[in-house]
Amino acid sequence: MSDHVDRKYRTVTAFQRRINPVLRRLPLQTVLETTGRVSGLPRRTPVGGRRVGDSFWLVSEYGERSQYIRNIRADPRVRIRIQGRWHTGTAHPLPDDDPRARLRTLPRMNSMAVRAFGADLLTVRVDLDG
């Protein structure tokens, strides 16, 4: 990873560490809950994306470097809070999907932020249970 991308990653993650605890508490904020790969504890991350049928689609800003992607790789069972309601599901990182094209199908404001702040985009599909 280039020095520029590394600095960008450190800056964005420092900001997110401060803002994410606030966002997680907002009742209508979409939140992805993974299981910590080391701690085994629930880890909640505010995300943007869109539900399409029985799937929820999102794009990770830093791909494999994102902590929630690492947690998904260790245990793909997740919960996601959509419009205040929790759903269980199985997350699938999709490295062959075009994340920039995917962002064009997702909510505009979040997609703009992901494009602006991200560096190694990765599409994720969460297949929701019943």
Side-chain angles (χ1 to χ4, degrees), residues 83-114:
Q83 296 181 344
R85 186 165 169 252
W86 285 100
H87 304 268
T88 59
T90 304
H92 305 277
L94 302 172
D96 295 331
D97 191 70
D98 180 349
R100 292 199 179 277
R102 182 67 56 191
L103 284 171
R104 288 191 289 274
T105 70
L106 301 178
R108 180 175 286 159
M109 292 304 289
N110 180 74
S111 294
M112 286 174 30
V114 169

Side-chain angles (χ1 to χ4, degrees), residues 19-126:
I19 193 75
N20 283 355
V22 174
L23 293 176
R24 281 192 296 259
R25 290 187 187 100
L26 298 176
L28 294 181
Q29 171 67 49
T30 302
V31 175
L32 176 69
E33 182 181 86
T34 60
T35 301
R37 63 194 176 284
V38 175
S39 69
L41 298 173
R43 300 297 182 200
R44 292 183 175 177
T45 306
V47 296
R50 174 169 282 143
R51 183 175 182 163
V52 179
D54 290 334
S55 296
F56 185 86
W57 292 85
L58 65 115
V59 174
S60 169
E61 294 168 317
Y62 285 98
E64 299 293 337
R65 199 168 181 187
S66 297
Q67 297 301 317
Y68 69 89
I69 296 295
R70 292 177 180 184
N71 290 342
I72 287 168
R73 293 280 188 209
D75 181 359
R77 298 293 303 155
V78 300
R79 290 191 330 143
I80 190 157
R81 187 178 72 196
I82 306 167
Q83 296 181 344
R85 186 165 169 252
W86 285 100
H87 304 268
T88 59
T90 304
H92 305 277
L94 302 172
D96 295 331
D97 191 70
D98 180 349
R100 292 199 179 277
R102 182 67 56 191
L103 284 171
R104 288 191 289 274
T105 70
L106 301 178
R108 180 175 286 159
M109 292 304 289
N110 180 74
S111 294
M112 286 174 30
V114 169
R115 275 192 295 277
F117 299 119
D120 189 19
L121 307 181
L122 176 65
T123 301
V124 178
R125 183 188 75 235
V126 178

